[in-house]
Amino acid sequence: MSITEIKALQKWRKIPKHIQTKIIDNVFCENCLVTTIVDYSLHDDQLGIVLKGKCKKCGSHITR
């Protein structure tokens, strides 16, 4: 995980670990459908947190 914004990290840390895992393991990839996000960075958003990274299966760029 790469941290690009402190505010996003603060929000992320407030989420319980088991929920973080569910978020990371439930991302949509246009090639693989449901996948896991890897090599992701955290970004603050007005609606919460955005994870930007790669699909674990095919390596495509994905966002959650």
Side-chain angles (χ1 to χ4, degrees):
M1 170 178 48
S2 164
I3 308 304
T4 56
E5 299 178 20
I6 298 299
K7 205 171 196 180
L9 178 60
Q10 291 169 340
K11 288 180 182 180
W12 183 248
R13 287 186 174 165
K14 290 180 182 178
I15 299 171
K17 290 285 185 191
H18 72 282
I19 301 296
Q20 288 179 7
T21 301
K22 284 185 177 188
I23 292 169
I24 291 167
D25 291 338
N26 187 22
V27 183
F28 179 80
C29 172
E30 62 184 25
N31 300 317
C32 305
L33 303 179
V34 178
T35 188
T36 298
I37 190 169
V38 295
D39 300 329
Y40 60 90
S41 57
L42 300 171
H43 302 271
D44 188 41
D45 184 78
Q46 63 183 349
L47 299 176
I49 305 166
V50 176
L51 281 68
K52 295 181 180 180
K54 296 180 182 177
C55 172
K56 183 177 181 178
K57 297 176 186 174
C58 74
S60 293
H61 292 282
I62 54 177
T63 302
R64 160 97 193 205

